[in-house]
Amino acid sequence: MRLSRSFLPTFKENPAEAQIVSHRLMLRSGLIRQTASGIYAWLPAGLRILRNISQIVREEQDSVGAQEVLMPTLQSADLWKRSGRYDAYGPEMLRIQDRHKRDLLYGPTNEEMITDIFGQIINSYKELPQTLYHIQWKFRDEVRPRFGVMRGREFLMKDAYSFDLNYEAAVASYQRMMLAYLRTFQRLGVRAVPMRADTGPIGGELSHEFLILAPTGESGVFYDAALEGQDWLDTPVDVTDPAALETFYKRVTTPYAATDEMHDTTAWEAVPEERRREGRGVEVGHIFHFGNKYTKAMDVSVVGADGERLYPEMGSYGIGVSRLVGAIIEASHDDNGIIWPDAVAPFKAVIINLKAGDETCDAVCEGIYNKNTEDFLYDDTSDRAGTKFANADLMGHPWQIIVGPRSAKEGRVELKRRATGERHDLTVDEALSLVLAGA
RNA sequence: CGGGCAGUAGCGCAGUCUGGUAGCGCAUCAGUCUGGGGGACUGGGGGUCGUGGGUUCGAAUCCCGCCUGCCCGACCA
């Protein structure tokens, strides 16, 4: 993308409406525009980030056997009356009527709908297990939206739903999803720690929240440093083998980790002092086993081996995709702007032409740009160097390929890594191979 | 939903108390000089002052209603 032709409005000053750093940076770097309280339009660069995150989420869901569907945003109230949640949900649910005065709602979640669809299609125990997911916009009419996309009313979420024949199989589904989540967050370039969460009225132990560590997080977190630095992408787990899953699960859940809500002082003090980590975190994922609550309420069953009716055991698994954009920024920025992890950055690199109009600079820049017009942002504007640097830092591109008139004559460029500030004087080819290699 | 604050140019703000031709900085447009960390100078364009009503010779300014947004709290992925 050529910056001179882009729809990428950046600002030097902070909009007054934004208080927290991620909200400010998202507005200033031209990712979003607010259109109503808690509702945002995503501009081109913001949309790229959303897509990058979605794609990683998708790949990791697929890799543990979940299948993608796409359910609608609008749902019939009848569905929710069947589960009893239409009355129970309260004013956070946005209720709508169509022209025939039929009650509809903008979905805040999809347990009812997926259970209904599942029930229409699956009849036999032989067809289990099934895990389905979709990435779709949701709406919760929060009393007080704030913090930009971190606490919006409309938000993009991945939600998955597992259906199993019995509790043991449901546990395996839950554990598979935990692995997928650890891999997803690792690929996104952030540390998200799973923490035991409150299971509410259903009880049981199978509920975990995933929190990204960031000083501005809404929850206090306590965890054992043993959870740091584990490479889940490099940890092979046979997701079809319950024993292997159980071993993996023990490894993740044995070290202490809890939010302030679930904090257990006694257990905490059993953690060796040098391994105790305290901080704040933003919840970006939640996995939950809830048994046959919905299959029973909605009378969705399958036929078992002996011809009896069985109510499948369900779990649901959410990742706040749009919230992650804000959360990643909270965890990864400095005074100059955003520092995008490579995997989510809207552009792999920005090419900074320090003297647009200079024959050599233009030629070198064009040469680089043409190698990858899709993933490079080319700053071909006639702004001054300082403006371009400030803008590049603000937008947080992982790499800056700086092309100045002196070095361009020798076919050399300067390559700056946003995260570290390191700069290297390299040939065009050397710079390109570093940038295109990824990190 | 309780408490507080604010709507004036794309963004940040002054002007409102004490009514009298709507301003500043950034951005933008034209030009000159500049040219490696948001540069300088000259000239220009851009505003139903959130909205409806009222008071007044005259309202951004005073009065009343409404809408929208922000902050703190309770709530929440």
Side-chain angles (χ1 to χ4, degrees):
Chain A
M1 186 77 221
R2 284 173 200 275
L3 189 58
S4 64
R5 301 296 317 141
S6 72
F7 197 72
L8 220 165
T10 57
F11 293 94
K12 193 169 155 184
E13 290 173 286
N14 280 319
E17 70 200 49
Q19 300 302 314
I20 64 162
V21 65
S22 63
H23 191 192
R24 288 178 171 175
L25 289 173
M26 286 183 75
L27 289 166
R28 282 186 56 203
S29 65
L31 306 184
I32 52 169
R33 273 301 154 93
Q34 178 165 326
T35 64
S37 178
I39 302 179
Y40 295 85
W42 293 78
L43 304 184
L47 181 58
R48 281 170 168 260
I49 296 159
L50 224 40
R51 284 187 175 146
N52 289 344
I53 295 174
S54 298
Q55 187 54 31
I56 288 172
V57 168
R58 182 174 285 125
E59 288 169 13
E60 293 302 323
Q61 292 291 295
D62 291 347
S63 81
V64 293
Q67 299 172 72
E68 187 172 14
V69 296
L70 183 58
M71 292 179 272
T73 53
L74 292 180
Q75 306 186 23
S76 160
D78 291 343
L79 218 44
W80 287 66
K81 287 173 181 163
R82 278 172 62 195
S83 73
R85 282 211 292 180
Y86 192 65
D87 295 323
Y89 213 90
E92 285 202 348
M93 178 186 280
L94 181 63
R95 295 153 208 262
I96 305 165
Q97 280 194 336
D98 69 11
R99 65 198 300 165
H100 301 295
K101 304 273 185 255
R102 283 183 292 238
D103 290 324
L104 300 174
L105 57 98
Y106 197 116
T109 179
N110 286 67
E111 279 86 3
E112 281 80 357
M113 183 173 279
I114 195 71
T115 304
D116 181 57
I117 293 170
F118 170 88
Q120 290 177 36
I121 294 167
I122 301 296
N123 301 301
S124 160
Y125 77 98
K126 293 179 183 170
E127 297 171 277
L128 294 182
Q130 293 285 346
T131 297
L132 303 166
Y133 75 97
H134 77 339
I135 299 173
Q136 178 62 290
W137 293 93
K138 309 270 190 291
F139 194 92
R140 288 182 197 167
D141 199 359
E142 296 282 346
V143 199
R144 190 185 156 206
R146 60 186 129 168
F147 305 150
V149 300
M150 299 262 285
R151 180 84 184 276
R153 291 194 291 174
E154 190 182 45
F155 53 95
L156 187 63
M157 186 173 173
K158 184 285 300 182
D159 40 326
Y161 304 91
S162 62
F163 297 85
D164 284 282
L165 202 52
N166 53 43
Y167 180 76
E168 291 67 36
V171 168
S173 289
Y174 183 89
Q175 294 171 341
R176 267 194 293 275
M177 204 51 85
M178 179 171 271
L179 177 65
Y181 273 41
L182 289 167
R183 287 178 172 166
T184 300
F185 293 121
Q186 188 178 331
R187 283 185 63 189
L188 291 173
V190 289
R191 174 179 295 146
V193 181
M195 311 213 168
R196 172 90 25 99
D198 191 0
T199 47
I202 297 160
E205 301 218 311
L206 293 180
S207 178
H208 285 87
E209 293 176 355
F210 288 76
L211 288 100
I212 287 185
L213 305 174
T216 50
E218 72 263 340
S219 313
V221 299
F222 304 83
Y223 68 95
D224 186 332
L227 288 165
E228 290 177 344
Q230 307 228 34
D231 186 349
W232 301 108
L233 296 169
D234 206 30
T235 304
V237 178
D238 180 355
V239 297
T240 62
D241 174 9
L245 282 169
E246 182 63 24
T247 305
F248 148 77
Y249 183 72
K250 279 262 151 51
R251 195 174 134 201
V252 182
T253 55
T254 303
Y256 185 84
T259 61
D260 42 14
E261 283 180 329
M262 298 288 287
H263 192 44
D264 173 351
T265 323
T266 315
W268 180 234
E269 276 160 11
V271 178
E273 196 162 352
E274 69 279 6
R275 294 214 319 250
R276 290 183 205 159
R277 297 285 183 274
E278 269 185 70
R280 306 200 65 79
V282 181
E283 184 184 349
V284 290
H286 198 157
I287 59 178
F288 202 92
H289 166 78
F290 50 72
N292 54 23
K293 176 179 175 182
Y294 294 100
T295 45
K296 256 197 170 146
M298 298 177 71
D299 195 28
V300 168
S301 61
V302 297
V303 178
D306 301 325
E308 75 281 26
R309 313 253 14 140
L310 298 169
Y311 293 103
E313 293 271 326
M314 290 178 66
S316 74
Y317 316 90
I319 289 180
V321 175
S322 51
R323 168 177 258 211
L324 260 167
V325 180
I328 292 170
I329 295 171
E330 290 294 332
S332 182
H333 68 272
D334 63 16
D335 289 346
N336 295 325
I338 301 170
I339 302 171
W340 285 117
D342 294 271
V344 300
F347 299 96
K348 284 191 196 313
V350 57
I351 304 159
I352 299 179
N353 187 339
L354 285 182
K355 195 168 184 182
D358 175 88
E359 213 175 298
T360 317
C361 282
D362 288 356
V364 171
C365 287
E366 293 285 343
I368 299 169
Y369 178 57
N370 287 326
K371 293 280 186 201
N372 192 337
T373 56
E374 175 58 23
D375 292 330
F376 287 170
L377 180 66
Y378 173 24
D379 188 345
D380 59 341
T381 65
S382 53
D383 286 329
R384 300 171 63 83
T387 304
K388 295 190 179 202
F389 290 140
N391 234 292
D393 286 348
L394 172 65
M395 286 191 277
H397 314 290
W399 299 99
Q400 296 173 15
I401 303 171
I402 301 161
V403 181
R406 286 189 295 274
S407 50
K409 284 203 189 91
E410 298 152 32
R412 301 183 75 81
V413 298
E414 192 175 347
L415 185 66
K416 175 183 163 183
R417 181 72 171 158
R418 175 68 177 89
T420 61
E422 283 175 82
R423 295 154 176 271
H424 294 289
D425 182 48
L426 301 169
T427 68
V428 169
D429 286 343
E430 286 165 346
L432 270 171
S433 66
L434 265 174
V435 171
L436 294 174

